[in-house]
Amino acid sequence: MELLGKSKEELREMCVGMGEPAYRGGQIYHALYAERKFDFAQMTNSPASLRERLAAEATVTLPVVKQRFASSDGSVRYLFALGGAVKQGDGDFNAGDTEGTEKKNLLKAASVEAVFMPSEGRQTICVSTQAGCAVDCQFCLTAQLGLIRNLTAGEILAQVLLPLEEHKGRLAPQTNIVLMGQGEPLLNFDAVMAALRILLDPEGVGISPKHVTLSTSGIVPGIERLGLEKVRPKLAISLNASNDEQRDALMPINKKYPLSVLLDACKKYPLRPWEHLTFEYVMLGEVNDAPEDARRVVRLLGPLKSVKVNLIPWNPGELPYRESSAEAIEEFRRILVDRGIPAFVRYSRGRDVMAACGQLALMQIESSA
Ligand code: SF4
């Protein structure tokens, strides 16, 4: 019985099923997510008899840190190995359970990346939501993996809990989470939301919704569904193009959800009073970085309320794109700002330890091949 990824309600039901009072489930929930106690012996808010039963009947499966890359800017990039397992329900799997596998979902072994980035007054953790990705953005190395599998809620949570635990002696007061690693979060909606509810619960991991951002390539039904959630993160849209022709070429998902449909969903998205929609725009030299592109972005985003744009300079690497010049980025930013659209240049952290998402997992596959 896997506990990591279980909600408070599920843990309460589990305790009742074990003949224990329901409130013991709340204690396990607190120990797991607020105190990051992964060893039952350390869950001292539960009685010794329950801890012994849990040790015999349940597991907390953490991914193995296969590699750690420390950047000179202080960020740490993790390559996590996720064991093969048998899925029994959302966020619920038992490694090594082979009984009745034909009725269950097999989870393939996979590698995913997460990055821990400390900065003044806060740390930001970037997590993956799928191993590989089916969306096929042309500027993304993860796309070359294809979709390997969806992560469970527990596997998504572990990418936050493990780095927090590893750096617990020097954590800043604020933690930001960005769902911008491998995978399209809105194509693994249920597991992502199950993980987010625990991350955003003041009695769980306790991170403010203002500090958690989900980034999507523009999966319109997922955006609509997210807008209906009571507890949800902030939303960022990966835009990267100024017209359909350009976006079709860079992000083939645009053929399914073209800009007019995507921006209409953005217009209808129910923003909270403190919230704005973020649009990310990877600056690709001589592809999407001309002043005319900036003017088209102004026309696209002008009708939306409360937006901001993050311009992300391209990290040169294996893919056939070039960096935009500093002048082109500044000119682009100025055109947006002059027309009333807040725009910021965001450099990727950990550039010296391979910051392109998917790069480590791809290397892993290539080296094992
Ligand atoms: S950028 Fe994101 S959505 Fe696009 S292929 Fe890469 S991981 Fe998938």
Side-chain angles (χ1 to χ4, degrees):
M1 185 164 43
E2 175 60 45
L3 300 197
L4 196 63
K6 281 202 187 297
S7 66
K8 195 191 294 167
E9 208 35 58
E10 286 168 331
L11 290 169
R12 284 167 65 88
E13 280 167 17
M14 178 194 79
C15 282
V16 171
M18 292 169 80
E20 297 280 344
Y23 71 84
R24 296 276 184 227
Q27 292 173 332
I28 298 170
Y29 182 86
H30 190 267
L32 256 183
Y33 303 125
E35 298 177 23
R36 299 190 297 274
K37 301 269 170 69
F38 308 126
D39 179 352
F40 295 119
Q42 291 176 4
M43 295 186 177
T44 47
N45 60 351
S46 295
S49 57
L50 176 59
R51 282 183 270 147
E52 278 163 27
R53 274 193 75 188
L54 288 173
E57 296 172 30
T59 49
V60 174
T61 310
L62 296 169
V64 174
V65 181
K66 223 168 179 177
Q67 277 176 292
R68 235 183 227 96
F69 298 85
S71 163
S72 57
D73 67 14
S75 40
V76 181
R77 197 167 182 87
Y78 295 88
L79 181 65
F80 288 118
L82 307 175
V86 180
K87 192 173 182 235
Q88 296 172 316
D90 271 340
D92 183 7
F93 63 94
N94 277 339
D97 170 7
T98 51
E99 278 179 24
T101 50
E102 64 285 356
K103 287 196 223 118
K104 299 169 184 170
N105 243 333
L106 278 176
L107 293 182
K108 287 190 216 160
S111 300
V112 293
E113 292 149 69
V115 192
F116 178 88
M117 296 165 275
S119 57
E120 194 63 37
R122 65 177 187 273
Q123 48 274 329
T124 301
I125 306 175
C126 175
V127 303
S128 298
T129 52
Q130 297 180 307
C133 184
V135 174
D136 203 23
C137 302
Q138 297 300 293
F139 50 83
C140 171
L141 282 167
T142 301
Q144 298 188 5
L145 296 167
L147 177 64
I148 298 166
R149 70 163 166 90
N150 282 334
L151 302 196
T152 65
E155 289 168 336
I156 297 166
L157 280 166
Q159 296 171 62
V160 174
L161 297 173
L162 277 177
L164 284 179
E165 189 56 17
E166 192 169 295
H167 295 86
K168 67 179 172 192
R170 50 209 143 98
L171 288 178
Q174 183 180 318
T175 298
N176 292 356
I177 308 290
V178 291
L179 279 65
M180 294 185 186
Q182 281 183 32
E184 164 52 64
L186 295 181
L187 292 181
N188 184 17
F189 196 93
D190 292 337
V192 165
M193 280 315 302
L196 283 170
R197 285 186 202 108
I198 295 168
L199 285 172
L200 299 175
D201 179 3
E203 292 176 24
V205 184
I207 298 171
S208 159
K210 293 182 179 172
H211 301 150
V212 181
T213 304
L214 180 154
S215 173
T216 178
S217 57
I219 308 294
V220 168
I223 294 171
E224 291 166 350
R225 217 176 141 192
L226 187 70
L228 300 174
E229 291 287 333
K230 255 206 320 242
V231 176
R232 58 187 152 94
K234 295 190 294 181
L235 179 61
I237 312 285
S238 192
L239 183 65
N240 307 320
S242 65
N243 61 24
D244 277 321
E245 193 189 343
Q246 213 176 55
R247 202 164 188 268
D248 283 352
L250 287 172
M251 303 177 73
I253 193 73
N254 193 66
K255 292 178 191 155
K256 194 161 183 189
Y257 306 114
L259 283 168
S260 58
V261 175
L262 173 61
L263 294 171
D264 190 48
C266 291
K267 213 180 280 176
K268 293 180 181 145
Y269 190 76
L271 289 174
R272 291 157 283 191
W274 48 266
E275 196 173 5
H276 50 250
L277 268 181
T278 301
F279 287 84
E280 291 147 8
Y281 197 99
V282 176
M283 300 290 292
L284 302 169
E286 291 172 35
V287 173
N288 64 359
D289 65 343
E292 187 47 34
D293 288 305
R295 286 188 275 274
R296 280 196 293 256
V297 169
V298 168
R299 287 197 288 276
L300 288 173
L301 303 188
L304 301 182
K305 280 184 278 176
S306 303
V307 295
K308 72 167 185 172
V309 175
N310 285 340
L311 301 173
I312 304 163
W314 172 247
N315 265 346
E318 289 176 31
L319 294 167
Y321 294 104
R322 300 214 307 254
E323 273 176 301
S324 298
S325 67
E327 296 74 39
I329 296 173
E330 182 47 29
E331 170 75 349
F332 200 106
R333 194 191 67 82
R334 201 189 46 74
I335 292 171
L336 265 56
V337 171
D338 284 354
R339 304 318 188 263
I341 296 181
F344 306 87
V345 182
R346 305 277 192 222
Y347 286 91
S348 310
R349 299 285 305 275
R351 283 162 80 96
D352 54 341
V353 287
M354 297 171 287
C357 108
Q359 197 155 6
L360 297 182
L362 196 63
M363 280 170 56
Q364 198 70 31
I365 285 179
E366 281 168 357
S367 65
S368 57

